[in-house]
Protein backbone atom coordinates (compact mmCIF):
# COMPACT_ATOMS: atom_id res chain seq x y z
CA UNK A 1 0.00 0.00 0.00
CA UNK A 2 1.00 3.65 -0.38
CA UNK A 3 3.53 4.76 2.32
CA UNK A 4 1.34 7.71 3.39
CA UNK A 5 -1.87 5.73 3.69
CA UNK A 6 -3.14 4.96 7.21
CA UNK A 7 -2.26 1.69 8.93
CA UNK A 8 -4.88 -1.02 8.48
CA UNK A 9 -6.39 -3.64 10.73
CA UNK A 10 -6.35 -7.32 9.80
CA UNK A 11 -9.73 -6.76 8.15
CA UNK A 12 -8.20 -4.04 5.98
CA UNK A 13 -10.05 -1.20 7.72
CA UNK A 14 -7.96 1.93 8.40
CA UNK A 15 -7.33 2.78 12.05
CA UNK A 16 -8.75 6.30 11.90
CA UNK A 17 -10.85 8.38 14.23
CA UNK A 18 -12.57 11.66 13.40
CA UNK A 19 -12.07 14.06 16.32
CA UNK A 20 -14.84 16.42 17.45
CA UNK A 21 -15.61 19.26 15.03
CA UNK A 22 -13.86 21.85 17.23
CA UNK A 23 -10.49 20.20 16.42
CA UNK A 24 -11.25 19.48 12.71
CA UNK A 25 -8.49 16.93 12.38
CA UNK A 26 -8.12 13.25 11.61
CA UNK A 27 -5.63 11.37 13.75
CA UNK A 28 -4.01 8.16 12.58
CA UNK A 29 -3.86 5.70 15.40
CA UNK A 30 -0.44 4.19 14.75
CA UNK A 31 0.42 3.24 18.29
CA UNK A 32 -2.14 2.27 20.86
CA UNK A 33 -1.19 1.85 24.48
CA UNK A 34 -3.12 -0.96 26.04
CA UNK A 35 -3.99 -4.30 24.51
CA UNK A 36 -6.54 -4.85 21.79
CA UNK A 37 -6.57 -8.61 22.30
CA UNK A 38 -10.00 -9.62 23.51
CA UNK A 39 -12.79 -8.09 25.47
CA UNK A 40 -11.94 -8.43 29.15
CA UNK A 41 -15.07 -10.12 30.53
CA UNK A 42 -15.20 -13.22 28.28
CA UNK A 43 -11.50 -13.79 28.92
CA UNK A 44 -11.99 -13.33 32.68
CA UNK A 45 -15.00 -15.68 32.86
CA UNK A 46 -13.20 -18.36 30.84
CA UNK A 47 -10.29 -18.16 33.28
CA UNK A 48 -12.63 -18.39 36.30
CA UNK A 49 -14.31 -21.51 34.89
CA UNK A 50 -11.00 -23.15 33.92
CA UNK A 51 -9.43 -22.46 37.32
CA UNK A 52 -12.42 -23.96 39.13
CA UNK A 53 -13.12 -26.83 36.74
CA UNK A 54 -9.71 -28.17 35.74
CA UNK A 55 -11.20 -30.47 33.07
CA UNK A 56 -11.77 -27.33 30.95
CA UNK A 57 -8.14 -26.35 31.29
CA UNK A 58 -7.16 -29.77 29.98
CA UNK A 59 -9.83 -29.73 27.22
CA UNK A 60 -10.50 -26.03 26.42
CA UNK A 61 -12.41 -26.94 23.25
CA UNK A 62 -15.29 -28.18 25.47
CA UNK A 63 -15.79 -24.57 26.71
CA UNK A 64 -16.80 -22.28 23.84
CA UNK A 65 -17.74 -18.61 24.12
CA UNK A 66 -19.31 -16.42 21.47
CA UNK A 67 -20.09 -12.70 21.60
CA UNK A 68 -23.40 -11.89 19.88
CA UNK A 69 -25.55 -8.80 19.32
CA UNK A 70 -22.74 -6.42 20.21
CA UNK A 71 -23.41 -2.69 20.37
CA UNK A 72 -21.00 0.19 20.85
CA UNK A 73 -22.44 3.20 22.64
CA UNK A 74 -19.95 6.06 22.09
CA UNK A 75 -19.47 8.72 24.75
CA UNK A 76 -20.02 12.19 23.34
CA UNK A 77 -16.90 14.16 22.33
CA UNK A 78 -14.50 11.43 23.45
CA UNK A 79 -12.92 8.18 22.28
CA UNK A 80 -14.52 6.32 25.23
CA UNK A 81 -17.48 3.99 24.77
CA UNK A 82 -19.63 1.33 26.36
CA UNK A 83 -19.81 -2.10 24.72
CA UNK A 84 -23.04 -4.03 25.30
CA UNK A 85 -23.24 -7.63 24.15
CA UNK A 86 -24.59 -11.09 24.78
CA UNK A 87 -22.03 -13.69 25.77
CA UNK A 88 -23.06 -17.24 24.92
CA UNK A 89 -21.18 -19.91 26.83
CA UNK A 90 -21.46 -23.46 25.57
CA UNK A 91 -20.13 -26.23 27.79
CA UNK A 92 -19.92 -29.67 26.21
CA UNK A 93 -19.99 -32.91 28.14
CA UNK A 94 -20.21 -31.41 31.61
CA UNK A 95 -19.80 -34.30 34.07
CA UNK A 96 -21.50 -32.64 37.03
CA UNK A 97 -24.83 -31.15 37.96
CA UNK A 98 -25.28 -27.94 35.90
CA UNK A 99 -26.07 -26.12 39.16
CA UNK A 100 -22.34 -26.26 39.95
CA UNK A 101 -21.56 -24.34 36.75
CA UNK A 102 -24.29 -21.80 37.57
CA UNK A 103 -22.69 -21.19 40.98
CA UNK A 104 -19.35 -20.41 39.31
CA UNK A 105 -21.01 -17.99 36.88
CA UNK A 106 -22.99 -16.36 39.69
CA UNK A 107 -19.82 -15.85 41.75
CA UNK A 108 -18.07 -14.33 38.73
CA UNK A 109 -21.05 -12.01 38.10
CA UNK A 110 -20.87 -10.75 41.71
CA UNK A 111 -17.41 -9.38 40.99
CA UNK A 112 -17.63 -8.50 37.31
CA UNK A 113 -21.24 -7.51 36.48
CA UNK A 114 -22.97 -6.94 39.85
CA UNK A 115 -25.69 -4.69 38.41
CA UNK A 116 -27.55 -7.67 36.90
CA UNK A 117 -27.75 -9.46 40.27
CA UNK A 118 -30.28 -7.03 41.77
CA UNK A 119 -33.41 -8.70 43.12
CA UNK A 120 -36.61 -8.54 41.08
CA UNK A 121 -39.24 -10.67 39.46
CA UNK A 122 -39.56 -9.22 35.96
CA UNK A 123 -37.73 -10.73 32.98
CA UNK A 124 -35.31 -7.81 32.69
CA UNK A 125 -33.89 -8.49 36.16
CA UNK A 126 -32.77 -12.05 35.39
CA UNK A 127 -29.02 -12.41 35.69
CA UNK A 128 -28.79 -15.04 32.96
CA UNK A 129 -30.71 -17.67 31.07
CA UNK A 130 -29.63 -21.20 30.25
CA UNK A 131 -30.48 -24.37 28.41
CA UNK A 132 -29.24 -27.79 29.44
CA UNK A 133 -29.47 -31.08 27.60
CA UNK A 134 -28.76 -34.38 29.34
CA UNK A 135 -26.43 -36.46 27.16
CA UNK A 136 -26.20 -39.34 29.63
CA UNK A 137 -27.48 -39.71 33.19
CA UNK A 138 -24.66 -37.57 34.61
CA UNK A 139 -23.35 -35.75 31.50
CA UNK A 140 -24.79 -32.47 30.22
CA UNK A 141 -24.38 -29.99 27.40
CA UNK A 142 -25.09 -26.54 28.87
CA UNK A 143 -25.62 -23.17 27.18
CA UNK A 144 -25.62 -19.97 29.27
CA UNK A 145 -26.51 -16.55 27.91
CA UNK A 146 -25.27 -13.43 29.72
CA UNK A 147 -26.03 -9.79 28.89
CA UNK A 148 -22.80 -7.95 29.65
CA UNK A 149 -21.39 -4.45 29.38
CA UNK A 150 -17.85 -3.11 29.38
CA UNK A 151 -16.86 0.54 29.53
CA UNK A 152 -13.68 1.53 27.75
CA UNK A 153 -12.07 4.81 28.82
CA UNK A 154 -9.89 6.17 26.02
CA UNK A 155 -8.20 9.39 25.05
CA UNK A 156 -5.21 10.96 23.39
CA UNK A 157 -2.12 11.62 25.48
CA UNK A 158 0.22 14.61 25.10
CA UNK A 159 2.00 12.85 22.21
CA UNK A 160 -1.23 12.21 20.30
CA UNK A 161 -1.19 8.48 21.05
CA UNK A 162 -4.38 6.70 22.02
CA UNK A 163 -4.41 5.13 25.46
CA UNK A 164 -7.30 3.15 26.91
CA UNK A 165 -8.35 0.88 29.74
CA UNK A 166 -11.42 -1.11 30.64
CA UNK A 167 -13.23 0.49 33.56
CA UNK A 168 -13.59 -1.82 36.56
CA UNK A 169 -17.04 -2.56 37.90
CA UNK A 170 -18.39 -0.79 40.99
CA UNK A 171 -18.79 -2.96 44.09
CA UNK A 172 -21.95 -5.03 44.34
CA UNK A 173 -24.76 -3.21 46.17
CA UNK A 174 -25.64 -4.63 49.59
CA UNK A 175 -29.32 -5.45 50.20
Amino acid sequence: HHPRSPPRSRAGVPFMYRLPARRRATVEIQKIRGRLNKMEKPKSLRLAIQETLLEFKAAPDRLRMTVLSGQIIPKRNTLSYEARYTLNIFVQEFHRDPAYLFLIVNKWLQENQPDILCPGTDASSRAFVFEAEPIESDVWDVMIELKLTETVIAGLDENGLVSYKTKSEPPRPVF
Side-chain angles (χ1 to χ4, degrees), residues 1-162:
H1 69 88
H2 189 273
R4 296 185 61 93
S5 64
R8 298 192 175 273
S9 70
R10 288 184 183 157
V13 178
F15 287 114
M16 304 279 295
Y17 179 77
R18 174 65 90 187
L19 294 176
R22 70 183 187 280
R23 302 237 341 239
R24 297 281 184 216
T26 301
V27 174
E28 292 183 10
I29 302 174
Q30 294 179 357
K31 294 183 181 176
I32 299 177
R33 286 195 298 198
R35 292 175 45 195
L36 286 175
N37 254 354
K38 301 176 182 175
M39 288 179 273
E40 294 294 323
K41 289 185 179 179
K43 182 172 56 173
S44 169
L45 180 53
R46 174 180 290 281
L47 187 61
I49 292 170
Q50 288 177 325
E51 286 179 351
T52 308
L53 301 168
L54 297 180
E55 64 261 35
F56 294 111
K57 203 175 238 184
D61 56 319
R62 290 181 33 224
L63 173 61
R64 295 193 324 243
M65 295 186 173
T66 307
V67 174
L68 302 170
S69 304
Q71 293 181 304
I72 298 296
I73 314 302
K75 304 296 181 186
R76 186 176 210 140
N77 297 326
T78 177
L79 295 173
S80 301
Y81 63 89
E82 179 181 78
R84 297 178 189 168
Y85 56 90
T86 300
L87 179 63
N88 276 3
I89 305 155
F90 185 64
V91 177
Q92 290 181 290
E93 299 176 17
F94 188 58
H95 293 266
R96 299 180 191 214
D97 184 330
Y100 191 69
L101 182 62
F102 303 152
L103 290 170
I104 296 166
V105 172
N106 193 39
K107 170 89 171 90
W108 181 87
L109 286 170
Q110 289 175 6
E111 297 171 14
N112 295 280
Q113 191 80 42
D115 59 312
I116 66 174
L117 293 174
C118 296
T121 57
D122 66 337
S124 65
S125 68
R126 293 184 188 141
F128 59 88
V129 295
F130 72 93
E131 293 180 19
E133 179 182 354
I135 304 302
E136 295 175 17
S137 63
D138 60 346
V139 180
W140 295 80
D141 281 350
V142 182
M143 190 279 302
I144 297 173
E145 184 177 282
L146 301 171
K147 304 265 188 223
L148 300 176
T149 59
E150 292 190 50
T151 300
V152 173
I153 308 299
L156 297 175
D157 67 12
E158 62 280 353
N159 298 319
L161 301 177
V162 173

